[in-house]
Amino acid sequence: MIRGKFIILEGGEGSGKTTVGERLKLEFPDAVYTQDPGGTPLGEHIRKILMSDETKGIDVRAELLLFLAGRAELVGKVIRPALENGKLVISNRFGLSSIAYQVYGRQKPELLEFFRTASKIITLGCEPDACVLLDVTPETGVARVHSRPEEPTRFDNETLDFHVRVREGLLKHAAEFGTPFVIDAEKPLEDVWTETMNAVQSVLR
């Protein structure tokens, strides 16, 4: 059995993950695309709860556990079956985001060990082959988010200091999620796209 490749797209708010992901769908139409949290009926429900003001002020432990619950369902129902069938899987966010947002953003370093222990059970051995990290300064990312017509999520509305800490976590831990490809996402979109394609193709060789 040939296991498929698993690539995750990571980055702070406004880094362009969704835009790049949509273009990847056109280049690799046979791949399985998903998002974390999301990707399953339960995951989408959890996503709706987590992104809304309904959970503003939620205990960080509860917040992390909800993300982990959605990820467990996503791995079991979508990611693992696709990889076992030899498919390329591309996910908009994965475990790195939990470290960046709940551990670094929320300033809870004591949760890192718990996250790693829980993840060993949750991921069922489905570790990413590569992490494409679209890196932008928090100032740029926040400005992009608030220029969109969509209503910002509660994470979009966090303080600039929060996003600074998130970026620190993303950059510091990217190499724990497969081969890291850190791309300067403040460059023109076509440059970002070219570098992303080069990264993905290098993983598929």
Side-chain angles (χ1 to χ4, degrees), residues 149-194:
E150 300 89 359
E151 191 72 21
T153 71
R154 70 183 181 92
F155 289 99
D156 295 335
N157 288 328
E158 289 285 352
T159 66
L160 189 62
D161 285 345
F162 174 87
H163 293 293
V164 168
R165 295 192 297 270
V166 166
R167 186 189 187 198
E168 178 188 357
L170 290 169
L171 290 169
K172 187 172 181 178
H173 294 273
E176 297 175 22
F177 295 85
T179 303
F181 296 92
V182 180
I183 296 172
D184 181 358
E186 300 207 27
K187 292 180 180 179
L189 178 58
E190 288 307 312
D191 292 343
V192 174
W193 169 243
T194 297

Side-chain angles (χ1 to χ4, degrees), residues 9 59 73 79 83 91-92 96 105 107 125 131 142 145-146 151 155-157 173 176 179 181 188:
L9 300 176
D59 187 284
E73 184 80 350
I79 295 175
L83 292 175
S91 180
N92 186 334
L96 177 57
Q107 296 180 289
C131 170
V142 170
V145 163
H146 289 284
E151 191 72 21
F155 289 99
D156 295 335
N157 288 328
H173 294 273
E176 297 175 22
T179 303
F181 296 92

Side-chain angles (χ1 to χ4, degrees), residues 10-12 14-17 20 133-137 140-141 144 167 182-189 191-193 195-196:
E10 290 280 8
S15 58
K17 298 181 305 302
V20 167
L133 174 56
L134 303 181
D135 180 47
V136 293
T137 63
T140 296
R144 287 177 179 176
R167 186 189 187 198
V182 180
I183 296 172
D184 181 358
E186 300 207 27
K187 292 180 180 179
L189 178 58
D191 292 343
V192 174
W193 169 243
E195 289 187 39
T196 300

Side-chain angles (χ1 to χ4, degrees), residues 20-203:
V20 167
E22 290 300 317
R23 291 186 69 165
L24 285 171
K25 289 180 183 179
L26 299 176
E27 292 291 330
F28 304 98
D30 295 328
V32 173
Y33 294 85
T34 191
Q35 63 179 354
D36 180 357
T40 67
L42 174 63
E44 291 298 333
H45 185 58
I46 290 174
R47 180 182 186 83
K48 183 178 179 181
I49 293 171
L50 283 168
M51 298 301 156
S52 73
D53 285 337
E54 180 182 346
T55 45
K56 187 175 182 180
I58 186 176
D59 187 284
V60 181
R61 295 167 300 173
E63 183 177 80
L64 177 59
L65 286 167
L66 283 170
F67 276 107
L68 291 172
R71 190 166 304 135
E73 184 80 350
L74 179 62
V75 170
K77 297 289 181 63
V78 178
I79 295 175
R80 188 184 192 188
L83 292 175
E84 289 179 343
N85 285 320
K87 293 281 191 178
L88 167 63
V89 177
I90 299 176
S91 180
N92 186 334
R93 296 199 185 280
F94 198 62
L96 177 57
S97 282
S98 291
I99 294 178
Y101 283 78
Q102 280 69 60
V103 176
Y104 279 74
R106 302 290 185 214
Q107 296 180 289
K108 295 292 182 179
E110 67 272 17
L111 292 179
L112 183 57
E113 183 178 354
F114 167 75
F115 164 79
R116 286 174 170 158
T117 300
S119 293
K120 289 178 182 177
I121 300 170
I122 286 170
T123 59
L124 301 174
C126 298
E127 302 300 333
D129 294 287
C131 170
V132 178
L133 174 56
L134 303 181
D135 180 47
V136 293
T137 63
E139 292 83 357
T140 296
V142 170
R144 287 177 179 176
V145 163
H146 289 284
S147 69
R148 296 171 181 166
E150 300 89 359
E151 191 72 21
T153 71
R154 70 183 181 92
F155 289 99
D156 295 335
N157 288 328
E158 289 285 352
T159 66
L160 189 62
D161 285 345
F162 174 87
H163 293 293
V164 168
R165 295 192 297 270
V166 166
R167 186 189 187 198
E168 178 188 357
L170 290 169
L171 290 169
K172 187 172 181 178
H173 294 273
E176 297 175 22
F177 295 85
T179 303
F181 296 92
V182 180
I183 296 172
D184 181 358
E186 300 207 27
K187 292 180 180 179
L189 178 58
E190 288 307 312
D191 292 343
V192 174
W193 169 243
T194 297
E195 289 187 39
T196 300
M197 272 296 292
N198 289 340
V200 172
Q201 289 172 336
S202 72
V203 175

